[in-house]
Amino acid sequence: MAGASVLPCPARAVWGARVNSPVHYEEAQCKTALNRVAGMGFQWSLNPYRGCVHSCHYCFARRFHGYLNLGAGQDFSSVITVKVNLPEVLRWELSAPTWRRETVALGTATDPYQPIEGKYRLTRRALEALHRYRTPVGVVTKGTMVVRDVDVLADMAAREGCTVCFSVTTLDHDLWQQLEPGTPPPWQRLRAMERLRAAGVNAGVLLAPVVPGITDSLDNLSAVVRAAAQHGARFLGTQTLYLKEGTREHFLDFAQREFPGAIPLYERLYPRAYAPRWYQDRLGQQVAGLKVLYGLGDERPRVDENRPVQLAFP
Amino acid sequence: MTMETRTQQKGQLLLMDEGVCWQPVPGARALYKGPRLEGLRSGSVGRVAELRERGAIMDFGKKGRWRVPRYFLAPPVRSGEPG
C-alpha cells in the first residue's frame, strides 16, 4: 500500500444514514486495470476502488473483500482501496496492439462514483482513456456524481458507445435507508439519469437486486418502473438477490436484525446462491408487464388515441 | 362453478410452481389486477378484444382499450363464487 488516510464518510454525512464510523482510504498500486470476464454481456471489467461506502447490505461484492483478508461486513464499507495508478496502467493496456476494443464494464464490484471519486477522479480519467482508445463502456452506479462526467459520456455515446445503468431498488424512504444507507437518494439518481438522457447518453434503470420479501411487492416494483418511465429511462432491467458466501452471512444477519419476519422466506428461497427459477420467472413477468403498463418500451399501453395518455399520473 | 370448469370455458390455466398465470381467449371477460393507472384501476373488468404475444388488447368500455400484459389479467369472479 502506498499510503493511507482516514476521512469521515461524505456519503454518510450528506445523506444522514445511521452508520457513522470513519472510513480508511488506502492508496494502492495496481498491476493490471482490466479484468477478463467470462459469461457476461461484456468482456472486461474495471474497478478503480475496492470496497464501497454505499454500504448496500445486499451487495454481492462484499465477499470479494475477503480476498484482502478483510470482512464482508463493516470492513467492506469502511476500508476502501484506491488504485491510484489505474488510469496510467489502463492507458498502457489499451495501447497494446492486441487490444480489440471490446466492451469494458465499470462498477461491477464497487461503485465507480462513490464519494472519494470526487478527490481522485480515477473513473473520469479511466473514461477519458477508454474514449481515446475508442473502447465502448457500460457503467453501473448509484452515484449522482456521474453527471460530472456527462461531457465524456456524451462523446463516448456518440462515437464508440456508452451505457449507464442506475441501480434503483426502491423509492421507499425507509427501505432505502435500511438497505443502502450510504447511497444518494433514489430520486436523485433518477434525476441524474434524466440529465444523462438529455445529453444523449443511453441511460436506464437496473431494478436490481430485487430483495425477496422486502422490495418485491407490486407497489414497490411499480413505483420504480413508473418513476423510471417518467424520468426517460431508455431501458429497465431486473434481477433477483444473489447470496453467495460472504454476502450471505452479512445479509442474513442484517435481515435477522431489521426484517426478522422475512427469515423463513429466505430459508425457503435460498438454499443456494440464486432464488429458484419459478421466483425469477414470476418476477420477470411482473416487471415485463409493468414496463408495458407504464410505457417503458416501444408500445404505448393505451390503444385508443383520443383519450388522455396513460403516462400522466395523478 | 369451480375455477377449473370456468377456465375450461373461457381460457386455459397455466400453473407455475407458485402463482397462476391465466391464458385469455378472445371474447372472454377478464379482470385487470395490475397497479392503478390514470383511467384504469385494479379490479376493472373488460373483454378480450385481441390476443397479443404476451397479453391482450382489452376493451374496458368507457375506460377505453388497453394493452394489458397477461400477468395482470385474471378470470373475473362472479359474486357468490369461491374466489
Side-chain angles (χ1 to χ4, degrees):
Chain A
M1 299 287 168
S5 58
V6 181
L7 298 172
C9 171
R12 288 166 182 160
V14 170
W15 309 119
R18 287 172 290 174
V19 189
N20 50 17
S21 59
V23 180
H24 297 258
Y25 290 102
E26 299 188 344
E27 295 185 351
Q29 302 287 326
C30 62
K31 291 180 181 171
T32 59
L34 293 165
N35 312 300
R36 179 56 112 166
V37 177
M40 305 290 281
F42 46 89
Q43 291 76 39
W44 301 89
S45 71
L46 179 73
N47 289 292
Y49 308 95
R50 290 187 83 149
C52 184
V53 300
H54 285 171
S55 317
C56 304
H57 288 291
Y58 50 69
C59 182
F60 76 96
R62 284 182 173 275
R63 66 194 188 94
F64 300 144
H65 239 43
Y67 301 164
L68 303 173
N69 290 325
L70 294 167
Q74 186 64 32
D75 285 352
F76 178 75
S77 51
S78 62
V79 182
I80 311 296
T81 304
V82 182
K83 302 176 187 176
V84 287
N85 64 333
L86 181 128
E88 291 73 34
V89 175
L90 176 63
R91 271 197 295 274
W92 182 77
E93 289 177 345
L94 295 176
S95 65
T98 52
W99 177 242
R100 295 168 59 185
R101 297 178 185 168
E102 294 169 303
T103 301
V104 175
L106 276 84
T108 52
T110 181
D111 199 307
Y113 287 103
Q114 55 182 302
I116 198 64
E117 166 65 13
K119 175 182 177 187
Y120 286 96
R121 300 169 71 86
L122 297 179
T123 301
R124 181 176 177 98
R125 286 155 62 201
L127 287 174
E128 288 169 345
L130 291 161
H131 181 43
R132 184 177 166 199
Y133 289 96
R134 298 191 175 215
T135 301
V137 297
V139 181
V140 181
T141 187
K142 289 189 177 87
T144 49
M145 200 190 301
V146 65
V147 297
R148 179 200 65 187
D149 296 340
V150 67
D151 54 333
V152 189
L153 293 166
D155 287 348
M156 295 182 92
R159 200 169 69 174
E160 52 272 5
C162 159
T163 300
V164 180
C165 304
F166 286 85
S167 168
V168 179
T169 61
T170 181
L171 295 182
D172 181 280
H173 185 274
D174 294 336
L175 283 180
W176 157 58
Q177 289 226 317
Q178 281 174 299
L179 289 166
E180 309 163 346
T183 57
W187 42 96
Q188 298 282 30
R189 295 175 224 162
L190 292 169
R191 288 193 192 114
M193 180 190 70
E194 209 167 19
R195 290 272 300 275
L196 265 56
R197 290 287 298 124
V201 178
N202 182 33
V205 166
L206 276 185
L207 205 178
V210 173
V211 188
I214 299 173
T215 65
D216 62 351
S217 67
L218 181 59
D219 283 350
N220 186 69
L221 298 176
S222 53
V224 175
V225 177
R226 183 176 64 182
Q230 285 174 327
H231 286 80
R234 186 83 185 276
F235 54 85
L236 183 139
T238 189
Q239 67 184 65
T240 48
L241 179 68
Y242 174 69
L243 284 183
K244 197 144 185 178
E245 289 88 318
T247 301
R248 182 186 192 86
E249 293 78 17
H250 173 82
F251 180 81
L252 292 179
D253 280 353
F254 160 78
Q256 181 75 57
R257 225 172 32 244
E258 304 279 339
F259 302 96
I263 292 297
L265 179 69
Y266 282 91
E267 286 169 354
R268 186 167 149 234
L269 286 186
Y270 281 94
R272 287 178 282 278
Y274 289 98
R277 173 55 59 190
W278 66 260
Y279 182 89
Q280 296 186 44
D281 287 348
R282 195 170 66 163
L283 177 76
Q285 286 180 10
Q286 203 167 359
V287 172
L290 289 169
K291 284 163 69 174
V292 173
L293 291 178
Y294 290 117
L296 224 168
D298 298 332
E299 291 186 323
R300 287 289 163 269
R302 188 136 201 175
V303 180
D304 32 5
E305 301 294 333
N306 296 331
R307 291 172 181 267
V309 291
Q310 191 167 356
L311 278 176
F313 292 98
Chain B
M1 185 185 290
T2 64
M3 171 77 87
E4 191 178 355
T5 54
R6 189 171 63 237
T7 52
Q8 279 171 352
Q9 287 174 354
K10 293 292 185 184
Q12 175 189 0
L13 201 68
L14 299 175
L15 284 171
M16 297 192 298
D17 288 341
E18 296 239 335
V20 173
C21 192
W22 184 59
Q23 179 80 47
V25 293
R29 290 171 73 242
L31 178 114
Y32 171 67
K33 55 170 188 170
R36 184 180 174 176
L37 307 168
E38 188 182 299
L40 188 65
R41 63 173 57 191
S42 190
S44 301
V45 176
R47 200 163 285 282
V48 178
E50 195 180 319
L51 279 183
R52 291 292 173 92
E53 191 182 351
R54 295 191 182 86
I57 305 286
M58 291 291 301
D59 188 346
F60 289 100
K62 287 179 181 175
K63 295 171 189 164
R65 287 158 67 92
W66 298 73
R67 276 186 192 88
V68 182
R70 191 175 301 149
Y71 189 88
F72 295 116
L73 287 176
V77 179
R78 291 176 197 152
S79 60
E81 286 182 2

